[in-house]
Coordinates of all heavy atoms in Angstrom, one line a residue:
M55 N -1.5 -1.5 10.8 CA -2.7 -1.1 9.9 C -3.1 0.3 10.0 O -4.0 0.6 9.2 CB -3.8 -2.0 10.4 CG -3.7 -3.4 9.9 SD -5.2 -4.4 10.1 CE -4.6 -6.0 9.9
A56 N -2.6 1.0 11.0 CA -3.2 2.4 11.1 C -2.6 3.3 10.2 O -3.1 4.5 10.1 CB -3.0 2.8 12.6
Y57 N -1.5 3.1 9.5 CA -0.9 4.0 8.6 C -1.0 3.8 7.2 O 0.0 3.7 6.4 CB 0.6 4.0 9.1 CG 0.7 4.4 10.4 CD1 1.2 3.4 11.3 CD2 0.5 5.7 11.0 CE1 1.4 3.8 12.7 CE2 0.6 6.0 12.3 CZ 1.0 5.1 13.2 OH 1.1 5.4 14.5
G58 N -2.2 3.8 6.6 CA -2.6 3.8 5.3 C -3.9 4.6 5.0 O -4.7 4.7 5.9
T59 N -3.9 5.2 3.8 CA -5.1 5.9 3.5 C -5.5 5.7 2.0 O -4.6 5.4 1.2 CB -4.9 7.4 3.7 OG1 -3.7 7.8 3.0 CG2 -4.8 7.8 5.3
K60 N -6.8 5.8 1.7 CA -7.2 5.7 0.3 C -7.0 7.0 -0.3 O -7.1 8.2 0.4 CB -8.7 5.5 0.3 CG -9.3 5.1 -1.0 CD -10.8 4.8 -0.7 CE -11.4 4.6 -2.1 NZ -12.9 4.2 -2.0
S61 N -6.4 7.1 -1.6 CA -6.2 8.2 -2.3 C -6.4 8.0 -3.8 O -5.7 7.2 -4.4 CB -4.7 8.7 -2.1 OG -4.4 9.7 -2.9
N62 N -7.3 8.8 -4.3 CA -7.6 8.6 -5.8 C -7.8 7.3 -6.1 O -7.3 6.8 -7.2 CB -6.5 9.3 -6.7 CG -6.4 10.8 -6.4 OD1 -7.3 11.5 -6.1 ND2 -5.2 11.3 -6.5
M63 N -8.6 6.5 -5.4 CA -8.9 5.1 -5.6 C -7.7 4.2 -5.5 O -7.9 3.0 -5.6 CB -9.5 4.9 -7.1 CG -10.9 5.8 -7.3 SD -12.1 5.4 -6.0 CE -12.6 3.8 -6.4
G64 N -6.6 4.7 -5.1 CA -5.4 3.8 -4.9 C -5.2 3.9 -3.4 O -6.1 4.2 -2.5
L65 N -4.0 3.4 -2.9 CA -3.7 3.3 -1.5 C -2.4 3.8 -1.2 O -1.4 3.6 -1.9 CB -3.8 1.8 -1.2 CG -3.3 1.4 0.2 CD1 -4.4 2.0 1.2 CD2 -3.3 -0.1 0.3
I66 N -2.2 4.8 -0.2 CA -1.0 5.2 0.2 C -0.6 4.6 1.5 O -1.4 4.6 2.4 CB -1.0 6.8 0.3 CG1 -1.2 7.5 -0.9 CG2 0.3 7.3 1.0 CD1 -1.3 9.0 -0.9
L67 N 0.6 3.9 1.6 CA 1.1 3.4 2.8 C 2.2 4.3 3.3 O 3.1 4.7 2.7 CB 1.6 2.0 2.6 CG 0.7 1.0 2.1 CD1 1.3 -0.4 1.7 CD2 -0.5 0.8 3.0
Q68 N 2.0 4.8 4.6 CA 3.0 5.7 5.1 C 4.2 4.9 5.7 O 4.3 4.3 6.7 CB 2.3 6.3 6.4 CG 1.0 7.1 6.1 CD 1.2 8.1 5.0 OE1 2.2 8.8 4.9 NE2 0.2 8.4 4.2
T69 N 5.2 5.0 4.8 CA 6.5 4.2 5.0 C 7.6 5.2 5.3 O 8.8 4.8 5.0 CB 6.8 3.3 3.9 OG1 6.9 4.1 2.7 CG2 5.8 2.3 3.7
Q70 N 7.4 6.3 5.9 CA 8.4 7.3 6.1 C 9.5 6.8 7.1 O 10.6 7.3 7.1 CB 8.0 8.6 6.7 CG 7.0 9.4 5.7 CD 5.6 9.2 5.8 OE1 5.1 8.1 6.3 NE2 4.8 9.9 5.3
S71 N 9.2 5.8 7.8 CA 10.3 5.4 8.8 C 11.2 4.3 8.1 O 12.3 4.0 8.8 CB 9.6 4.6 10.0 OG 8.9 3.5 9.6
F72 N 11.0 4.0 6.8 CA 11.8 3.1 6.2 C 12.8 4.0 5.2 O 12.5 5.1 4.9 CB 11.2 2.3 5.2 CG 10.2 1.3 5.9 CD1 8.8 1.5 6.2 CD2 10.8 0.0 6.3 CE1 8.1 0.5 6.9 CE2 9.9 -0.9 7.1 CZ 8.6 -0.6 7.2
T73 N 13.9 3.4 4.9 CA 14.8 4.1 3.9 C 14.2 3.9 2.5 O 13.3 3.0 2.2 CB 16.2 3.4 3.9 OG1 16.2 2.1 3.4 CG2 16.7 3.7 5.3
V74 N 14.7 4.7 1.6 CA 14.2 4.6 0.2 C 14.6 3.2 -0.3 O 13.7 2.6 -1.0 CB 14.9 5.6 -0.7 CG1 14.5 5.3 -2.2 CG2 14.4 7.1 -0.3
K75 N 15.8 2.7 0.0 CA 16.2 1.3 -0.4 C 15.3 0.3 0.1 O 14.9 -0.6 -0.7 CB 17.6 1.1 0.1 CG 18.2 -0.3 -0.3 CD 19.7 -0.3 0.0 CE 20.3 -1.6 -0.3 NZ 21.7 -1.7 0.1
E76 N 14.8 0.5 1.3 CA 13.9 -0.6 1.9 C 12.6 -0.6 1.2 O 11.9 -1.6 0.9 CB 13.8 -0.4 3.4 CG 15.0 -0.7 4.2 CD 14.9 -0.2 5.6 OE1 14.2 0.8 5.9 OE2 15.6 -0.9 6.5
V77 N 12.0 0.6 0.9 CA 10.7 0.8 0.3 C 10.9 0.3 -1.3 O 9.9 -0.3 -1.7 CB 10.3 2.3 0.2 CG1 9.0 2.5 -0.6 CG2 10.0 2.8 1.7
V78 N 12.0 0.5 -1.8 CA 12.2 0.0 -3.1 C 12.1 -1.6 -3.1 O 11.5 -2.3 -4.0 CB 13.5 0.4 -3.8 CG1 13.9 -0.4 -5.1 CG2 13.4 1.9 -4.2
F79 N 12.7 -2.2 -2.1 CA 12.6 -3.7 -1.9 C 11.3 -4.1 -1.7 O 10.9 -5.1 -2.4 CB 13.5 -4.1 -0.8 CG 13.5 -5.6 -0.5 CD1 14.0 -6.4 -1.2 CD2 12.7 -6.0 0.7 CE1 14.1 -7.8 -1.0 CE2 12.6 -7.3 0.9 CZ 13.3 -8.2 0.0
I80 N 10.5 -3.4 -0.9 CA 9.1 -3.9 -0.6 C 8.3 -3.8 -1.9 O 7.5 -4.7 -2.3 CB 8.6 -3.0 0.5 CG1 9.2 -3.3 1.9 CG2 7.0 -3.4 0.7 CD1 8.9 -2.3 3.0
I81 N 8.5 -2.7 -2.6 CA 7.7 -2.5 -3.8 C 8.0 -3.5 -4.8 O 7.2 -4.1 -5.6 CB 7.9 -1.0 -4.4 CG1 7.1 0.0 -3.5 CG2 7.6 -1.0 -5.8 CD1 7.4 1.4 -4.0
S82 N 9.4 -3.8 -4.9 CA 9.7 -5.0 -5.9 C 9.1 -6.3 -5.6 O 8.7 -7.0 -6.5 CB 11.2 -5.0 -6.1 OG 11.8 -5.5 -4.8
V83 N 9.0 -6.6 -4.3 CA 8.3 -7.8 -4.1 C 6.9 -7.7 -4.4 O 6.3 -8.7 -4.8 CB 8.5 -8.1 -2.4 CG1 7.7 -9.3 -2.0 CG2 10.0 -8.4 -2.0
L84 N 6.2 -6.5 -4.0 CA 4.8 -6.5 -4.4 C 4.6 -6.6 -5.8 O 3.5 -7.2 -6.3 CB 4.2 -5.1 -3.8 CG 4.1 -5.0 -2.3 CD1 3.7 -3.7 -1.9 CD2 3.2 -6.1 -1.8
I85 N 5.4 -6.1 -6.5 CA 5.3 -6.1 -8.1 C 5.6 -7.5 -8.5 O 4.8 -8.1 -9.3 CB 6.3 -5.2 -8.8 CG1 5.8 -3.7 -8.5 CG2 6.4 -5.3 -10.3 CD1 6.8 -2.7 -8.9
Y86 N 6.7 -8.1 -8.2 CA 7.0 -9.4 -8.7 C 6.1 -10.6 -8.1 O 5.7 -11.4 -8.9 CB 8.5 -9.7 -8.2 CG 9.1 -11.1 -8.8 CD1 9.3 -11.2 -10.1 CD2 9.2 -12.1 -7.9 CE1 9.8 -12.4 -10.6 CE2 9.7 -13.3 -8.4 CZ 9.9 -13.5 -9.7 OH 10.4 -14.7 -10.1
K87 N 5.9 -10.7 -6.9 CA 5.2 -11.8 -6.2 C 3.6 -11.6 -6.4 O 2.9 -12.6 -6.6 CB 5.5 -11.9 -4.8 CG 6.9 -12.3 -4.5 CD 7.1 -13.8 -4.4 CE 8.4 -14.2 -3.9 NZ 8.6 -15.6 -4.0
F88 N 3.1 -10.3 -6.3 CA 1.7 -10.1 -6.2 C 1.2 -9.4 -7.4 O 0.0 -9.1 -7.5 CB 1.3 -9.4 -4.9 CG 1.8 -10.2 -3.8 CD1 2.8 -9.8 -2.9 CD2 1.1 -11.4 -3.3 CE1 3.3 -10.5 -1.8 CE2 1.6 -12.1 -2.2 CZ 2.6 -11.7 -1.5
N89 N 2.1 -9.0 -8.3 CA 1.6 -8.3 -9.5 C 0.8 -7.1 -9.3 O -0.2 -6.8 -10.0 CB 0.8 -9.3 -10.6 CG 0.7 -8.8 -11.9 OD1 1.6 -8.1 -12.4 ND2 -0.3 -9.2 -12.6
L90 N 1.2 -6.4 -8.2 CA 0.5 -5.0 -7.9 C 1.3 -3.9 -8.6 O 2.5 -3.9 -8.7 CB 0.5 -4.9 -6.5 CG -0.3 -5.8 -5.6 CD1 -0.1 -5.5 -4.1 CD2 -1.7 -5.7 -6.1
K91 N 0.6 -2.8 -9.1 CA 1.4 -1.7 -9.6 C 1.5 -0.7 -8.5 O 0.6 -0.2 -7.9 CB 0.3 -1.2 -10.7 CG 1.0 0.1 -11.5 CD 0.1 0.6 -12.6 CE 0.5 1.8 -13.2 NZ 1.9 1.9 -13.5
C92 N 2.8 -0.5 -8.2 CA 3.2 0.3 -7.2 C 4.2 1.3 -7.5 O 5.0 1.2 -8.5 CB 3.9 -0.6 -6.0 SG 2.9 -1.9 -5.5
S93 N 4.3 2.5 -6.7 CA 5.4 3.4 -6.9 C 5.8 4.1 -5.7 O 5.0 3.9 -4.6 CB 5.0 4.5 -8.0 OG 3.7 5.1 -7.5
I94 N 6.8 4.8 -5.6 CA 7.2 5.7 -4.4 C 7.0 7.1 -4.7 O 7.0 7.6 -5.8 CB 8.9 5.5 -4.3 CG1 9.3 4.1 -4.0 CG2 9.3 6.5 -3.2 CD1 10.8 4.0 -3.8
H95 N 6.2 7.6 -3.7 CA 6.0 9.0 -3.6 C 6.8 9.6 -2.4 O 7.0 8.9 -1.4 CB 4.5 9.4 -3.4 CG 3.7 8.9 -4.6 ND1 2.4 9.4 -4.8 CD2 4.0 8.1 -5.7 CE1 2.0 8.8 -5.9 NE2 2.8 8.1 -6.4
M96 N 7.3 10.8 -2.6 CA 8.1 11.5 -1.5 C 7.2 12.5 -0.8 O 6.5 13.2 -1.4 CB 9.3 12.1 -2.1 CG 10.3 11.2 -2.7 SD 10.9 9.8 -1.7 CE 12.1 10.8 -0.8
Q97 N 7.1 12.4 0.5 CA 6.4 13.4 1.3 C 7.4 13.9 2.3 O 7.9 13.2 3.1 CB 5.3 12.8 2.1 CG 4.1 12.4 1.2 CD 3.0 11.8 2.1 OE1 3.1 11.6 3.2 NE2 1.8 11.7 1.5
R98 N 7.6 15.3 2.3 CA 8.7 15.9 3.1 C 10.0 15.2 3.1 O 10.6 14.9 4.1 CB 8.1 16.0 4.5 CG 7.1 17.1 4.7 CD 6.4 17.2 6.0 NE 5.1 16.7 5.8 CZ 4.5 15.7 6.5 NH1 5.0 15.2 7.4 NH2 3.3 15.4 6.2
N99 N 10.3 14.8 1.9 CA 11.7 14.2 1.6 C 11.7 12.7 2.3 O 12.8 12.2 2.5 CB 12.8 15.1 2.1 CG 14.0 15.0 1.2 OD1 13.8 14.7 0.0 ND2 15.2 15.5 1.6
Q100 N 10.7 12.2 2.5 CA 10.5 10.7 3.1 C 9.8 10.0 2.1 O 8.8 10.4 1.6 CB 9.9 10.7 4.5 CG 10.7 11.5 5.5 CD 12.1 10.9 5.8 OE1 12.2 9.7 5.9 NE2 13.1 11.7 6.0
P101 N 10.0 8.6 2.1 CA 9.3 7.8 1.0 C 8.1 7.3 1.6 O 7.9 6.8 2.7 CB 10.4 6.5 0.8 CG 11.1 6.4 2.1 CD 11.2 7.9 2.6
T102 N 7.0 7.3 0.7 CA 5.8 6.6 1.0 C 5.4 5.7 -0.3 O 6.0 5.9 -1.4 CB 4.5 7.6 1.1 OG1 4.4 8.3 0.0 CG2 4.8 8.6 2.3
M103 N 4.8 4.7 -0.1 CA 4.4 3.6 -1.0 C 3.0 3.9 -1.6 O 2.1 4.2 -0.7 CB 4.4 2.3 -0.5 CG 5.6 1.5 -0.9 SD 5.7 -0.1 -0.2 CE 4.1 -0.7 -0.1
Y104 N 2.8 4.0 -2.9 CA 1.5 4.1 -3.5 C 1.1 2.9 -4.3 O 1.9 2.4 -5.1 CB 1.5 5.4 -4.5 CG 0.2 5.6 -5.2 CD1 -1.0 6.0 -4.5 CD2 0.0 5.2 -6.4 CE1 -2.2 6.2 -5.1 CE2 -1.1 5.4 -7.2 CZ -2.2 5.8 -6.4 OH -3.5 6.0 -7.1
I105 N 0.0 2.3 -4.0 CA -0.5 1.2 -4.8 C -1.6 1.7 -5.6 O -2.5 2.3 -5.2 CB -1.1 0.1 -3.9 CG1 0.0 -0.4 -2.9 CG2 -1.7 -1.1 -4.7 CD1 -0.4 -1.5 -1.9
S106 N -1.4 1.5 -6.9 CA -2.3 2.1 -7.9 C -3.7 1.7 -7.9 O -4.0 0.5 -7.5 CB -1.7 1.8 -9.3 OG -2.6 2.2 -10.3
S107 N -4.6 2.5 -8.3 CA -6.0 2.1 -8.4 C -6.2 0.9 -9.3 O -7.2 0.2 -9.1 CB -6.9 3.3 -8.9 OG -6.5 3.7 -10.2
K108 N -5.4 0.8 -10.3 CA -5.4 -0.4 -11.2 C -5.2 -1.8 -10.4 O -5.5 -2.8 -10.9 CB -4.4 -0.3 -12.3 CG -4.7 0.9 -13.2 CD -3.7 1.0 -14.2 CE -3.9 2.3 -15.0 NZ -2.9 2.6 -16.0
S109 N -4.6 -1.7 -9.3 CA -4.3 -2.9 -8.5 C -5.2 -3.1 -7.4 O -5.2 -4.0 -6.6 CB -2.8 -2.8 -8.0 OG -1.9 -2.9 -9.0
M110 N -6.2 -2.1 -7.2 CA -6.9 -2.3 -5.9 C -7.9 -3.5 -6.0 O -8.2 -4.0 -4.9 CB -7.7 -1.0 -5.7 CG -6.8 0.2 -5.2 SD -5.8 -0.3 -3.7 CE -7.0 -0.4 -2.4
T111 N -8.5 -3.7 -7.0 CA -9.3 -5.0 -7.0 C -8.5 -6.2 -6.7 O -9.1 -6.9 -5.8 CB -10.0 -5.2 -8.5 OG1 -10.7 -4.0 -8.8 CG2 -10.8 -6.3 -8.6
R112 N -7.4 -6.3 -7.2 CA -6.6 -7.5 -6.8 C -6.1 -7.5 -5.3 O -6.1 -8.4 -4.6 CB -5.2 -7.5 -7.7 CG -4.5 -8.8 -7.5 CD -3.2 -8.8 -8.4 NE -3.7 -8.6 -9.9 CZ -3.4 -7.4 -10.6 NH1 -2.6 -6.5 -10.1 NH2 -3.7 -7.4 -11.8
F113 N -5.9 -6.3 -4.8 CA -5.4 -6.1 -3.4 C -6.6 -6.4 -2.5 O -6.5 -7.2 -1.5 CB -5.0 -4.7 -3.2 CG -4.6 -4.3 -1.9 CD1 -3.3 -4.5 -1.4 CD2 -5.5 -3.8 -0.9 CE1 -2.9 -4.3 -0.1 CE2 -5.2 -3.5 0.4 CZ -3.8 -3.8 0.8
N114 N -7.8 -5.9 -2.9 CA -9.0 -6.1 -2.1 C -9.3 -7.7 -1.9 O -9.6 -8.1 -0.9 CB -10.3 -5.4 -2.7 CG -10.2 -3.9 -2.5 OD1 -9.4 -3.5 -1.7 ND2 -10.9 -3.2 -3.3
L115 N -9.3 -8.3 -3.1 CA -9.6 -9.7 -3.1 C -8.6 -10.6 -2.2 O -9.0 -11.5 -1.4 CB -9.6 -10.4 -4.4 CG -10.7 -9.9 -5.4 CD1 -10.5 -10.4 -6.8 CD2 -12.0 -10.3 -4.8
K116 N -7.3 -10.2 -2.2 CA -6.3 -11.0 -1.5 C -6.2 -10.6 0.0 O -6.0 -11.4 0.8 CB -4.9 -10.8 -2.1 CG -4.8 -11.6 -3.4 CD -3.4 -11.4 -4.0 CE -3.3 -12.1 -5.2 NZ -2.5 -13.3 -5.2
Y117 N -6.3 -9.3 0.3 CA -6.0 -8.8 1.6 C -7.0 -8.3 2.5 O -6.9 -8.2 3.7 CB -4.9 -7.8 1.5 CG -3.7 -8.3 0.7 CD1 -3.5 -7.8 -0.5 CD2 -2.9 -9.1 1.3 CE1 -2.4 -8.3 -1.3 CE2 -1.8 -9.6 0.6 CZ -1.6 -9.3 -0.7 OH -0.4 -9.7 -1.4
L118 N -8.3 -8.2 2.0 CA -9.4 -7.7 2.8 C -9.6 -8.6 4.1 O -9.9 -8.1 5.2 CB -10.6 -7.6 2.0 CG -11.8 -6.9 2.8 CD1 -11.5 -5.5 3.2 CD2 -13.1 -7.0 1.9
P119 N -9.5 -10.0 3.9 CA -9.7 -10.8 5.1 C -8.7 -10.6 6.2 O -9.0 -10.9 7.4 CB -9.6 -12.3 4.6 CG -9.9 -12.1 3.1 CD -9.4 -10.7 2.7
Y120 N -7.6 -10.1 6.0 CA -6.5 -9.9 6.9 C -6.5 -8.5 7.6 O -5.7 -8.1 8.4 CB -5.1 -10.0 6.3 CG -5.0 -11.4 5.7 CD1 -5.1 -11.6 4.4 CD2 -4.9 -12.6 6.5 CE1 -5.1 -13.0 3.8 CE2 -4.8 -13.8 6.0 CZ -5.0 -14.0 4.6 OH -4.9 -15.3 4.1
I121 N -7.4 -7.6 7.1 CA -7.4 -6.2 7.7 C -8.5 -6.2 8.7 O -9.7 -6.6 8.5 CB -7.8 -5.2 6.5 CG1 -6.6 -5.1 5.4 CG2 -8.0 -3.8 7.1 CD1 -6.9 -4.3 4.3
C122 N -8.1 -5.6 9.9 CA -9.1 -5.6 11.0 C -10.3 -4.8 10.7 O -10.2 -3.8 9.9 CB -8.5 -4.9 12.2 SG -7.1 -5.7 12.9
N123 N -11.5 -5.3 11.1 CA -12.7 -4.5 10.9 C -12.8 -3.1 11.2 O -13.3 -2.3 10.5 CB -13.8 -5.3 11.5 CG -14.3 -6.7 10.9 OD1 -13.9 -6.9 9.8 ND2 -14.9 -7.4 11.7
S124 N -12.0 -2.7 12.3 CA -12.0 -1.4 12.9 C -11.2 -0.5 11.9 O -11.2 0.7 12.0 CB -11.5 -1.4 14.2 OG -10.1 -1.9 14.3
M125 N -10.4 -1.1 11.0 CA -9.5 -0.3 10.2 C -10.0 -0.2 8.7 O -9.4 0.5 7.9 CB -8.1 -0.8 10.1 CG -7.3 -0.8 11.5 SD -7.1 1.0 11.8 CE -7.0 0.9 13.4
R126 N -11.0 -1.0 8.3 CA -11.5 -1.1 6.9 C -12.0 0.2 6.4 O -11.9 0.4 5.3 CB -12.5 -2.3 6.8 CG -11.8 -3.6 6.9 CD -12.9 -4.7 6.7 NE -12.3 -6.0 6.9 CZ -12.8 -7.2 6.7 NH1 -14.1 -7.1 6.4 NH2 -12.2 -8.2 6.9
Y127 N -12.6 1.0 7.4 CA -13.1 2.3 6.9 C -12.2 3.2 6.2 O -12.5 3.9 5.3 CB -13.8 3.0 8.0 CG -12.9 3.6 9.0 CD1 -12.5 5.0 8.7 CD2 -12.2 3.0 10.0 CE1 -11.6 5.6 9.6 CE2 -11.3 3.5 10.9 CZ -11.0 4.9 10.7 OH -10.0 5.5 11.5
K128 N -10.9 3.0 6.6 CA -9.8 3.9 6.1 C -9.6 3.6 4.5 O -9.3 4.5 3.7 CB -8.5 3.7 6.8 CG -8.6 4.2 8.2 CD -7.2 4.1 8.7 CE -7.0 5.0 9.8 NZ -5.6 5.5 10.0
L129 N -9.8 2.3 4.2 CA -9.5 2.0 2.8 C -10.8 1.9 1.9 O -10.6 2.0 0.8 CB -8.8 0.5 2.8 CG -7.5 0.6 3.7 CD1 -6.9 -0.8 3.6 CD2 -6.5 1.5 3.1
Y130 N -11.8 1.4 2.6 CA -13.0 0.9 1.8 C -14.3 1.6 2.1 O -15.3 1.4 1.5 CB -13.3 -0.7 2.0 CG -12.0 -1.4 1.7 CD1 -11.3 -1.9 2.7 CD2 -11.4 -1.5 0.4 CE1 -10.1 -2.6 2.5 CE2 -10.2 -2.1 0.2 CZ -9.6 -2.8 1.3 OH -8.4 -3.4 1.1
G131 N -14.3 2.4 3.2 CA -15.5 3.1 3.6 C -16.5 2.1 4.1 O -17.8 2.5 4.1
L132 N -16.1 0.9 4.6 CA -17.0 0.0 5.2 C -17.3 0.3 6.6 O -16.7 0.7 7.4 CB -16.5 -1.4 5.0 CG -16.2 -1.9 3.7 CD1 -15.4 -3.2 3.7 CD2 -17.3 -1.9 2.7

């Protein structure tokens, strides 16, 4: 939970330890199963996942209960 940040009303997940192929797989699952708008961004030649601001309402409703209170400030300013 510690490796994510809010960015332009969207969400960046720090997935640099994964291969591009693994990140593509995770994104395809998020798109297909959860209907989230996601993309890959490269930072220093390593993949990061971006969840679009258009999907944040859906993301908040489904996943907020599973995020530790001590980590919510990173995403929601709570």
Side-chain angles (χ1 to χ4, degrees):
M55 284 194 194
Y57 301 111
T59 54
K60 187 175 179 181
S61 173
N62 297 327
M63 302 304 292
L65 176 65
I66 294 176
L67 299 176
Q68 303 300 329
T69 54
Q70 289 95 340
S71 62
F72 295 95
T73 66
V74 172
K75 186 177 179 180
E76 291 168 333
V77 174
V78 168
F79 174 75
I80 294 167
I81 286 175
S82 67
V83 170
L84 292 174
I85 291 169
Y86 181 74
K87 293 270 188 184
F88 302 105
N89 198 26
L90 296 177
K91 183 173 172 46
C92 306
S93 60
I94 294 178
H95 292 198
M96 299 301 281
Q97 289 183 348
R98 285 174 249 128
N99 225 17
Q100 297 293 318
T102 61
M103 259 176 35
Y104 177 72
I105 299 176
S106 171
S107 60
K108 295 175 184 177
S109 294
M110 286 309 292
T111 301
R112 188 176 308 111
F113 181 86
N114 290 340
L115 291 173
K116 288 184 182 249
Y117 303 107
L118 185 60
Y120 302 104
I121 296 175
C122 296
N123 290 336
S124 63
M125 293 293 154
R126 290 182 182 183
Y127 77 94
K128 289 183 157 212
L129 304 175
Y130 310 109
L132 301 175

